[in-house]
Amino acid sequence: MDNPRFLACLAADFARLRAVAAADLSGAVPSCPGWTVADLVRHVGGVYLHKTAAMREGVEPEQWPPEELAEEEPLALLDRAYAGLTAEFGARRPEDPAGTWYAPDQTVGFWIRRMAQETVVHRIDAELGTGQPVAPVPADLAVDGVDELLKVFVAYSVAEWGDYFTDALAGSPGRTYLLRTEGAAWLARSGPGTFTVADGAGDGSADVTVSGPPAALLRWAWNREDPAGPSGVAVDGAPEAVAELHRCIVTATQ
């Protein structure tokens, strides 16, 4: 995906999130236990402001969020933050420098991609929290989202901050995970202190195989499936192996 496409997806998912959230700010968000839709909206607004500051200042703010954000009306905060984020994107080139937590990419383009993916996941949260239908996720965005989750979040985090994954991986016997969807596949390998990801299906064999349409695979990977509805993916593998993958994802994204 290119940056204009990410920005178009960001705009569409922001509009959907905003409209859905306004319907019921008091709704409980099942995919974010303990959060209401208002909490979710305030979180997204805070994230947008944080990334705007990272672009303006060249480093991510260390003290966050500011206390006053908790007092701002959630939808007003969301609107203000989105306006600031998109204005910052519009004033910069994707290749311009920006502070990020991902050492291989210290550019505005990293945040363009990241905010598009952040917003689609939280748009789904808002839909689940208000009981409204989950709108389709474009296939290209969903495939990119799985790719980002596995490589940028999990694999990078295990390599850089391995101590956080001791509980998730210390007892691993060494496992392989094949995630596949239309036009894309990833082969992940785990073990004590290690998690690597390669494109492609390898020889097609793995301890766990997860397959389904792009949007369904994205929702499964991010634990955003509808708890009251059927899964859109097929999972083949031992439950304890699947649980290991989920532990790694949760640790990398919390």
Side-chain angles (χ1 to χ4, degrees), residues 7-254:
L7 289 169
C9 290
L10 170 62
D13 285 314
F14 170 79
R16 174 67 178 166
L17 188 160
R18 174 65 168 79
V20 167
D24 184 8
L25 287 170
S26 66
V29 182
S31 44
C32 301
W35 277 12
T36 64
V37 174
D39 296 325
L40 173 71
V41 167
R42 187 171 281 112
H43 166 77
V44 175
V47 168
Y48 288 167
L49 291 173
H50 185 269
K51 307 324 172 194
T52 301
M55 288 185 280
R56 288 178 180 168
E57 300 169 13
V59 294
E60 291 189 275
E62 292 186 5
Q63 300 299 321
W64 200 266
E67 292 183 4
E68 60 268 22
L69 294 190
E71 304 302 321
E72 192 167 352
E73 195 280 323
L75 293 174
L77 169 62
L78 183 67
D79 290 341
R80 176 173 70 85
Y82 179 73
L85 178 72
T86 53
E88 203 67 27
F89 285 153
R92 300 177 183 273
R93 299 172 301 172
E95 62 269 25
D96 284 347
T100 82
W101 50 263
Y102 183 63
D105 190 352
Q106 297 287 300
T107 69
V108 170
F110 175 85
W111 289 127
I112 292 175
R113 180 194 194 190
R114 178 82 284 280
M115 290 303 94
Q117 294 297 347
E118 179 89 0
T119 303
V120 70
V121 168
H122 287 318
R123 180 262 284 178
I124 294 169
D125 288 330
E127 290 165 327
L128 294 174
T130 58
Q132 298 192 47
V134 174
V137 178
D140 57 348
L141 185 66
V143 169
D144 181 80
V146 175
D147 188 83
E148 184 204 40
L149 176 61
L150 293 174
K151 296 176 183 176
V152 176
F153 277 95
V154 186
Y156 179 76
S157 296
V158 172
E160 289 295 309
W161 304 295
D163 289 349
Y164 289 101
F165 294 85
T166 299
D167 290 342
L169 289 171
S172 174
R175 294 184 168 110
T176 55
Y177 300 92
L178 175 59
L179 286 78
R180 60 188 178 192
T181 189
E182 299 158 15
W186 302 265
L187 187 64
R189 301 181 185 276
S190 68
T194 184
F195 191 98
T196 62
V197 181
D199 292 326
D203 63 7
S205 62
D207 296 302
V208 174
T209 299
V210 186
S211 57
L217 185 60
L218 178 73
R219 292 181 62 182
W220 181 89
W222 272 102
N223 196 27
R224 259 63 182 189
E225 292 186 302
D226 185 346
S231 174
V233 303
V235 180
D236 182 17
E240 61 268 24
V242 178
E244 180 180 297
L245 176 59
H246 272 305
R247 287 198 304 272
C248 289
I249 291 172
V250 169
T251 301
T253 57
Q254 64 187 2

